Amino acid sequence: MDFRQLKTFSCVAELGSLSKASDTLRIAQPALSRQIKLLEHELRAELFTRNGRGMVLTEAGRLLLARTAGIVRQIDQIRDDIQSQAGAPSGRVVLGLVPTVSCVLSARLARRTVERYPGISLCIVESYSGHLIEWLHRGEMDLAVIYGPSADLHLSVQNLGRDAVVAVGPRGSGLSRKKQVDMDWLLRQKLVLPSHSHGLRTLIEHAAAKKKLKLDIQVEADSFRVLTSLVEEGLGLALLPPSSVRDEVAGGKLETAAIAKLGPMRELIIASPIDHPGSAAIAAVTALLRSETEACRDEGLWDIKLA
């Protein structure tokens, strides 16, 4: 296997199409197809199933991608760093953001990156912490802002700050009139939460276990937008950072109330793979991430307590 073949394989796997990979790599489709066939011949296994919708990874292809994605990313970054020595940072940075952070930070972070570092190609991936951690371990992502605790993650972590959680309900729920609710009362209500694999669910379940309460979870939603829309429909209450529903509250779609007696606080961390050497571009994006977080706090857009 040579790097060119692995690079081609990785690009086709990511885009699911030879034609899209051809446009991205600026290499003719027949040449890309030949590299894939040579790789399959060497490995004695088919890596893709070809169908009308494009190129779909086989089991062998998924295994190869899992083992080599991080290697391809690191070699690309070595090239980018060497080329960056004579000027501004350049190269591709894949950044993961949990949805409650993405809705506050992603657009302004992308704008600042484009303005200050036009040589950096920033790819923002929004998902829950469980998925982002998996992609970090596989080397498919350079860094991510996720919720802690950071113990046992087997990742390199930096503390970003702590984010408060409030009760969120639909218009007319009375939360805005209450202004503050007890955690005991809240945990006895019908709730809309993510599934068990996500940090917010774990946080709420721990709080309920301490009080020996059984949660009444009306609906589960592993999409932040779906979760807030279910709350709007009156299917249950949610627990979210106030910054993540600021627009919906201002528009009268949702109501919030603080949780009395110091409600749950969520630890936010910047995580990256332990064996990842990093790059000048990653360091630049990390610095921008911190400065934009601080700016959001100073502008009153994010009630975060910085580390």
Side-chain angles (χ1 to χ4, degrees):
M1 289 183 287
D2 63 31
F3 177 69
R4 183 174 58 176
Q5 291 173 347
L6 290 177
K7 175 73 173 175
T8 297
F9 164 76
S10 179
C11 189
V12 174
E14 179 184 351
L15 299 175
S17 162
L18 267 177
S19 62
K20 291 179 182 177
S22 174
D23 292 340
T24 299
L25 297 173
R26 298 181 182 179
I27 299 173
Q29 283 191 52
L32 293 185
S33 182
R34 175 170 172 74
Q35 288 178 26
I36 295 294
K37 287 179 181 176
L38 287 171
L39 189 56
E40 289 178 325
H41 178 74
E42 181 178 350
L43 296 174
R44 299 179 184 178
E46 285 193 1
L47 301 174
F48 293 98
T49 332
R50 285 85 168 167
N51 59 36
R53 293 176 296 175
M55 307 279 282
V56 181
L57 285 170
T58 62
E59 191 63 35
R62 285 192 290 272
L63 176 61
L64 181 63
L65 183 64
R67 298 289 178 84
T68 61
I71 297 171
V72 172
R73 294 280 304 125
Q74 289 186 28
I75 293 175
D76 278 342
Q77 285 167 354
I78 291 170
R79 179 202 61 215
D80 294 335
D81 267 358
I82 291 173
Q83 293 175 352
S84 297
Q85 284 184 325
S90 64
R92 189 168 188 253
V93 176
V94 182
L95 168 66
L97 297 174
V98 288
T100 51
V101 172
S102 177
C103 64
V104 180
L105 206 57
S106 57
R108 59 188 294 155
L109 177 66
R111 183 176 64 250
R112 282 288 304 282
T113 303
V114 169
E115 289 171 353
R116 291 196 56 181
Y117 302 109
I120 293 179
S121 172
L122 180 63
C123 173
I124 296 177
V125 179
E126 180 183 303
S127 190
Y128 282 111
S129 292
H131 298 144
L132 299 180
I133 290 168
E134 179 184 345
W135 295 325
L136 286 168
H137 282 150
R138 281 163 36 184
E140 296 176 15
M141 187 168 283
D142 299 307
L143 69 159
V145 176
I146 60 177
Y147 286 110
S150 57
D152 302 322
L153 287 181
H154 305 293
L155 295 168
S156 176
V157 299
Q158 307 170 44
N159 199 307
L160 183 61
R162 292 172 68 80
D163 211 0
V165 175
V166 297
V168 182
R171 180 173 55 191
S173 62
L175 287 180
S176 59
R177 188 174 61 255
K178 291 176 183 291
K179 294 186 179 178
Q180 193 176 80
V181 296
D182 290 329
M183 194 65 175
D184 282 10
W185 175 86
L186 182 57
L187 293 174
R188 288 185 171 90
Q189 307 307 304
K190 291 181 178 179
L191 299 175
V192 177
L193 295 174
S195 63
H196 288 281
S197 62
H198 301 297
L200 178 62
R201 177 67 171 268
T202 303
L203 180 78
I204 304 309
E205 288 185 336
H206 283 171
K210 284 183 180 180
K211 298 179 180 297
K212 298 181 180 179
L213 295 174
K214 183 179 179 181
L215 294 175
D216 182 3
I217 300 172
Q218 189 74 5
V219 187
E220 295 180 342
D222 279 354
S223 160
F224 173 69
R225 297 303 171 193
V226 171
L227 190 148
T228 53
S229 67
L230 293 174
V231 175
E232 285 182 34
E233 290 295 322
L235 293 176
L237 304 182
L239 289 90
L240 294 167
S243 54
S244 66
V245 291
R246 185 178 301 275
D247 291 343
E248 289 82 357
V249 171
K253 296 179 179 179
L254 296 174
E255 297 182 10
T256 63
I259 299 173
K261 298 179 183 177
L262 297 176
M265 296 286 290
R266 305 187 70 189
E267 178 189 5
L268 272 172
I269 57 178
I270 302 173
S272 57
I274 290 176
D275 57 353
H276 202 305
S279 69
I282 292 172
V285 170
T286 302
L288 283 181
L289 187 59
R290 285 192 174 279
S291 66
E292 285 303 301
T293 298
E294 185 174 348
C296 286
R297 182 204 60 179
D298 294 344
E299 293 169 22
L301 300 175
W302 194 356
D303 305 316
I304 185 172
K305 290 178 172 54
L306 295 178

